[in-house]
Amino acid sequence: MMEKREKESVGGAVVASPVALVGSREDNEMDASTRTAEILLRLVLMALCLSALIVMVKNSQSNIDLGSLSYSDLGAFRYLVHANGICAGYSLLSAVILALPRPSISRAWTFFFLDQILTYLILAAGAASTEVLYLAYEGDVSITWSAACGSFGRFCHRATASVIITFVVVVCYGVLSLLSSYKLFSNFEPPVGYTTKGIEDTVVHG
């Protein structure tokens, strides 16, 4: 019976039992592995953002009859480049900060808010660029806007590759946002007196 107790009294002092020490060590190892995975995810995000940025920045094509076309001629593509640049810088900076062994609640709140903001920022960039690509491939008959990709096929293919990478970034940032939300709110205890009994009764009898 004494071996099952999580705390033992030795000479009037309370000492943690081996069971408690093992549990604490396992929690620390889990936290360390989670932090390592998050750091790697942020570094992967940085690489993906830079890839999408570089593909789009180098995207230009000349046509003998129609002239030249560059990403800088389209506002949505410029926005995509800027958004990926911001996300790449933030991903690297947050990975470096996360590697510092001094977590705090204020840091958790900061990551939570910034991860949410950057997720919507890169999502908006991808959505705006997708709309421009659709018009470039399909045109718009109502305003006599012909499809540009028939004359600038290479430009459209590279822009499409950049947008696809950007949406991969969006998915990864969604995962990162969920992770930072969990890490933040797991620091708080449920409200005093909170119970799910009322909810369960409503579900069963309602």
Side-chain angles (χ1 to χ4, degrees):
M1 294 295 293
M2 295 296 293
E3 294 177 355
K4 293 182 180 180
R5 297 177 58 188
E6 292 191 359
K7 291 185 178 180
E8 298 175 355
S9 177
V10 178
V14 178
V15 214
S17 71
V19 175
L21 292 176
V22 171
S24 177
R25 184 167 61 249
E26 289 178 351
D27 290 341
N28 290 335
E29 290 175 355
M30 185 177 298
D31 291 342
S33 60
T34 302
R35 185 173 65 176
T36 301
E38 185 178 353
I39 291 173
L40 291 176
L41 178 58
R42 291 180 184 275
L43 293 177
V44 168
L45 274 169
M46 180 196 69
L48 289 172
C49 290
L50 288 177
S51 299
L53 184 152
I54 292 171
V55 170
M56 186 61 81
V57 165
K58 292 186 175 182
N59 192 17
S60 62
Q61 184 178 355
S62 298
N63 185 290
I64 298 176
D65 299 323
L66 301 176
S68 61
L69 180 62
S70 173
Y71 86 95
S72 58
D73 298 327
L74 299 167
F77 290 167
R78 292 198 304 271
Y79 175 42
L80 182 139
V81 167
H82 294 153
N84 274 293
I86 292 171
C87 289
Y90 168 73
S91 297
L92 176 60
L93 181 62
S94 61
V96 172
I97 295 175
L98 192 62
L100 300 177
R102 288 187 179 181
S104 63
I105 191 65
S106 60
R107 191 170 81 174
W109 275 109
T110 301
F111 280 164
F112 169 74
F113 282 120
L114 291 180
D115 288 347
Q116 305 295 321
I117 292 172
L118 270 293
T119 299
Y120 288 112
L121 175 71
I122 199 66
L123 175 61
S129 299
T130 300
E131 182 181 6
V132 171
L133 272 177
Y134 176 80
L135 291 174
Y137 275 107
E138 302 295 333
D140 192 336
V141 179
S142 63
I143 58 174
T144 65
W145 189 350
S146 60
C149 290
S151 303
F152 296 95
R154 186 182 64 186
F155 176 86
C156 290
H157 293 330
R158 290 183 177 178
T160 301
S162 180
V163 171
I164 289 174
I165 297 172
T166 299
F167 274 107
V168 174
V169 172
V170 171
V171 173
C172 291
Y173 257 107
V175 174
L176 195 61
S177 296
L178 291 175
L179 181 59
S180 60
S181 300
Y182 171 77
K183 289 180 63 178
L184 171 63
F185 294 109
S186 62
N187 291 318
F188 299 96
E189 295 292 337
V192 177
Y194 173 80
T195 176
T196 59
K197 187 176 184 302
I199 300 176
E200 293 172 355
D201 291 342
T202 303
V203 173
V204 172
H205 301 292

